[in-house]
Amino acid sequence: MKQRPISDNPLISDLSDRSREVFRHIVDAYVSTGAPIGSRTISRELGLDLSPATIRNVMADLEDLGLLYAPHTSAGRLPTEIGLRLFVDGLLEHGNLNEDERGAIESQCAAVGRSVPELLEEATGMISGLSRCAGLVVAPKASEALKHIEFVSLGPGRALVVLVTASGQVENRVIDVPIGLPPASLVEATNYLSARLVGRTLGEARAEVVQELAAQRAVLDELTAGVVESGLATWAKDVGDGALIVRGQAQLLEDITALEDLERIRRLFTALETKEALARLLELTDSAEGVQIFIGAENDLFGLAGCSVVIAPYGNSQNKIVGAIGVIGPTRINYARIIPMVDYTAKVIGRLVG
């Protein structure tokens, strides 16, 4: 993780050293307290022999550039979302995690015998605790080959699909089946799919099985075909979309007090629960390497909540992006600390997912 050169952003390069220092101090104060800061406080804290009147002039210039705003007429100044973006891109200084922080991430993610879903659950909770924000993980699509499939009756109209992958991971899902289904149909469905799915992914087998079913309904009776189609469609749909894990919502709400902000946060989590959000999260991270930062209204998925999202993709052993991990927090999150944390965690997850 490296700071982008100041010259890359014309607006930053146009700022004087004095303006940069005042602006940096206002952003640091905002990240620390969330409260506006006035010229007299800045004059006292900076210790640069700048009078409050001089600092007010600098703040007025920064406000004219759209980098600061006053929440009230007589209040101090806060950074705008444009100002925060400018700060993150050109003025933010962040380094690497210390040895203890790296060790904590490694040890909490790398427990022996932990399955991939358990690993991702642990990583989400871990990054939430370390960042004091809500942690999120977009889990990888289950594209691993299967070695076993079975349908188990759960009573009238319900059956359990048991799938075992080549690496030994077990997935269970309840599906709806025709009422009055005889046990023999479940056995037939198990035998039929086992012969076609073992050694292949659901995505590879689905089109062929659907085509065969259309031509071979005389071989499989209607009830058995219904079980096959239902189980296959359920698994292909759900597994193909991946899964979203979110932990630490309460941490996100700690810094939010206004009712309006609470409503925005509620709508954010409603949006994140949709399947469309999963695909879009991966699209956001798939287009560029490393950590991606979205501040407020820069992205319509998160802008409605007035939050910032720091997220990084992780890949498999073939360097293919299969998921993403990150945090959601108020726009005043500690970017300098969280950016390298997300970056390192994504690398650890990618190495362990393999």
Side-chain angles (χ1 to χ4, degrees):
M1 298 298 300
K2 295 182 179 179
Q3 180 182 337
R4 182 180 299 180
I6 287 177
S7 59
D8 283 5
N9 192 307
L11 186 54
I12 294 178
S13 61
D14 288 343
L15 295 179
S16 66
D17 290 342
R18 175 186 294 173
S19 295
R20 289 180 198 164
E21 193 62 31
V22 170
F23 179 58
R24 187 197 304 273
H25 194 79
I26 292 172
V27 174
D28 286 344
Y30 171 67
V31 169
S32 178
T33 68
I37 186 171
S39 58
R40 188 173 299 279
T41 302
I42 296 174
S43 175
R44 183 175 62 253
E45 293 179 353
L46 277 182
L48 297 177
D49 294 328
L50 297 178
S51 68
T54 299
I55 290 177
R56 279 196 296 273
N57 289 334
V58 172
M59 293 167 70
D61 292 340
L62 293 171
E63 191 169 359
D64 289 341
L65 291 172
L67 305 181
L68 301 178
Y69 76 99
H72 308 289
T73 304
S74 60
R77 298 298 184 270
L78 291 170
T80 63
E81 289 180 356
I82 295 174
L84 285 172
R85 166 55 62 188
L86 192 76
F87 175 79
V88 168
D89 284 351
L91 296 177
L92 178 66
E93 296 177 357
H94 50 79
N96 296 318
L97 300 178
N98 61 42
E99 187 174 342
D100 289 342
E101 289 171 324
R102 291 196 301 271
I105 292 173
E106 294 270 4
S107 63
Q108 287 189 260
C109 290
V112 177
R114 183 174 289 159
S115 68
V116 172
E118 290 171 336
L119 161 65
L120 296 176
E121 290 267 1
E122 183 68 24
T124 314
M126 177 271 301
I127 201 169
S128 171
L130 289 177
S131 67
R132 298 199 58 76
C133 294
L136 65 88
V137 168
V138 183
K141 298 177 181 179
S143 57
E144 190 177 357
L146 301 171
K147 71 176 182 181
H148 179 74
I149 183 171
E150 184 175 356
F151 294 92
V152 180
S153 177
L154 296 178
R158 305 283 276 174
L160 178 70
V161 188
V162 181
L163 286 166
V164 183
T165 68
S167 65
Q169 293 186 46
V170 179
E171 300 281 359
N172 301 305
R173 193 66 56 92
V174 176
I175 64 170
D176 295 323
V177 297
I179 300 294
L181 184 75
S185 290
L186 288 177
V187 175
E188 286 185 51
T190 295
N191 293 337
Y192 179 85
L193 283 182
S194 293
R196 289 157 179 81
L197 289 182
V198 173
R200 307 169 69 184
T201 67
L202 283 172
E204 292 169 341
R206 186 173 188 271
E208 179 182 335
V209 170
V210 170
Q211 186 176 9
E212 282 190 21
L213 284 172
Q216 297 183 6
R217 285 187 178 274
V219 178
L220 287 174
D221 66 35
E222 186 174 350
L223 290 178
T224 301
V227 176
V228 172
E229 290 176 319
S230 177
L232 187 69
T234 296
W235 276 94
K237 172 173 65 64
D238 290 346
V239 174
D241 282 340
L244 179 69
I245 306 168
V246 181
R247 291 287 181 274
Q249 291 96 319
Q251 304 237 41
L252 177 59
L253 295 175
E254 283 182 1
D255 285 324
I256 306 297
T257 55
L259 289 177
E260 179 182 353
D261 288 336
L262 286 172
E263 175 61 17
R264 288 174 179 167
I265 297 296
R266 185 192 65 77
R267 292 186 355 239
L268 167 69
F269 284 110
T270 298
L272 286 175
E273 288 172 357
T274 66
K275 291 291 184 182
E276 290 78 7
L278 306 183
R280 291 176 63 190
L281 275 171
L282 283 179
E283 287 174 6
L284 293 174
T285 57
D286 199 15
S287 58
E289 295 183 359
V291 177
Q292 304 294 300
I293 304 159
F294 303 96
I295 300 173
E298 286 181 340
N299 182 269
D300 56 5
L301 176 60
F302 306 113
L304 60 87
C307 291
S308 286
V309 177
V310 180
I311 190 167
Y314 58 88
N316 57 20
S317 56
Q318 289 78 46
N319 294 320
K320 178 182 177 182
I321 292 176
V322 295
I325 185 167
V327 301
I328 306 171
T331 52
R332 68 180 190 87
I333 61 175
N334 189 337
Y335 297 95
R337 170 176 165 77
I338 289 175
I339 290 172
M341 184 183 301
V342 169
D343 184 48
Y344 189 76
T345 304
K347 289 181 170 64
V348 172
I349 294 296
R351 189 168 66 247
L352 294 174
V353 168

